[in-house]
Amino acid sequence: MAGKDFDSLTEWNVAFDGKQIGKIKTKPGNSSYDSQVDLQDILGPKNKIPKVGKLTSEFATWSDYQVQRPLVTLFKGHASDPDKWRPAPLPNELISKARIEFKNKYTNVSKCKDEDSTFTPWKYKDEDIKVYKRYMANSNWKLIALHLTDNKCDGPPEEAYNQSWYAVSPSGEVTFLDSGLALVDAGDYDRDGKSEVIFQVSRYNRGGYILFYDKFKQREENIFGYH
């Protein structure tokens, strides 16, 4: 934790897509809220901070602001992605299996005509379950993100409208990981020769990160509330 191990000036390697893309130096920040515990303040000019891509709402969590995508920082060592995770088309058979798991989990879903109308039960169809993203690794593991769209109800969306992520083993077994996630990166962060996968938590009044490892059987998470 930053408050215990990184209580002075620290240099970090910044990683993305299995490569080191820069360095930053930080000092401990002030932790006024739960969402700020263990945050570090970045030192130096802002235009020297490594960035990837343009401002986007994908990683804005439950705010309305566009932000830069989060990047993984490493205290020691260099980035690598031995499993070579990448976006990839996947067979329709696997998409269908993931949709079955989605329907088994989300059996009661509501829909509204507009923000002023009441919640009504929705018997959604397979074609209503949209594929948001799909990835494949050299180890033949795969990731699929599914969600329902066109949510017009007032208030926080039901879980089925958030990104639900599924891991698919080389043998084709589909496992639900979690919902309300945005994929950040993959890399060998513990230097065991295998890639871990890290997601940002993006839910109503919830933020943080979840790291999956050991063939998606294990996870480490840091989740907080904004108020």
Side-chain angles (χ1 to χ4, degrees):
M1 303 296 288
K4 179 180 179 181
D5 299 320
F6 305 110
D7 55 1
S8 60
L9 183 69
T10 307
E11 184 173 84
W12 305 84
N13 294 323
V14 182
F16 179 69
D17 198 23
K19 304 177 183 66
Q20 180 175 324
I21 62 171
K23 292 178 178 289
I24 58 171
K25 290 183 178 180
T26 66
K27 66 177 183 178
N30 295 320
S31 302
S32 303
Y33 304 97
D34 288 346
S35 59
Q36 297 176 339
V37 170
D38 292 328
L39 282 183
Q40 298 269 307
D41 291 335
I42 300 176
L43 305 176
K46 290 185 177 180
N47 62 354
K48 298 295 184 181
I49 299 174
K51 298 177 182 178
V52 172
K54 299 180 180 179
L55 294 174
T56 174
S57 59
E58 182 177 2
F59 301 99
T61 63
W62 68 304
S63 73
D64 295 327
Y65 300 103
Q66 289 193 326
V67 298
Q68 294 289 156
R69 68 170 299 127
L71 298 170
V72 175
T73 57
L74 306 171
F75 176 53
K76 293 183 179 180
H78 295 276
S80 67
D81 177 17
D83 292 344
K84 304 296 182 186
W85 281 97
R86 63 201 182 279
L90 299 180
N92 290 333
E93 177 186 357
L94 292 183
I95 302 297
S96 296
K97 292 176 70 173
R99 282 190 168 119
I100 291 173
E101 293 298 320
F102 185 98
K103 293 175 70 175
N104 288 340
K105 180 171 179 60
Y106 302 113
T107 56
N108 297 305
V109 175
S110 299
K111 194 174 184 179
C112 305
K113 293 181 180 179
D114 52 54
E115 291 185 356
D116 298 323
S117 61
T118 58
F119 290 75
T120 57
W122 180 27
K123 294 184 178 180
Y124 61 89
K125 302 178 181 179
D126 283 0
E127 56 264 31
D128 296 315
I129 308 172
K130 304 302 182 182
V131 179
Y132 183 73
K133 288 190 176 181
R134 59 197 102 183
Y135 291 84
M136 178 183 289
N138 284 353
S139 57
N140 208 26
W141 277 87
K142 305 167 188 71
L143 286 168
I144 303 173
L146 302 176
H147 66 150
L148 298 176
T149 60
D150 199 29
N151 175 47
K152 297 179 181 179
C153 298
D154 188 26
E158 295 181 12
E159 188 174 327
Y161 291 97
N162 293 327
Q163 297 178 32
S164 291
W165 284 83
Y166 298 82
V168 185
S169 71
S171 63
E173 181 180 358
V174 178
T175 302
F176 172 72
L177 297 179
D178 214 326
S179 67
L181 302 180
L183 180 63
V184 174
D185 206 357
D188 182 14
Y189 306 122
D190 60 359
R191 289 176 284 181
D192 67 347
K194 301 179 180 66
S195 297
E196 295 82 51
V197 181
I198 186 168
F199 292 87
Q200 182 193 54
V201 177
S202 182
R203 304 169 188 154
Y204 178 77
N205 193 29
R206 289 292 181 269
Y209 295 90
I210 301 177
L211 183 143
F212 290 91
Y213 62 101
D214 190 18
K215 300 178 180 179
F216 296 97
K217 293 182 290 186
Q218 307 289 335
R219 61 194 282 171
E220 297 289 339
E221 60 183 50
N222 181 8
I223 299 177
F224 52 79
Y226 289 101
H227 58 71

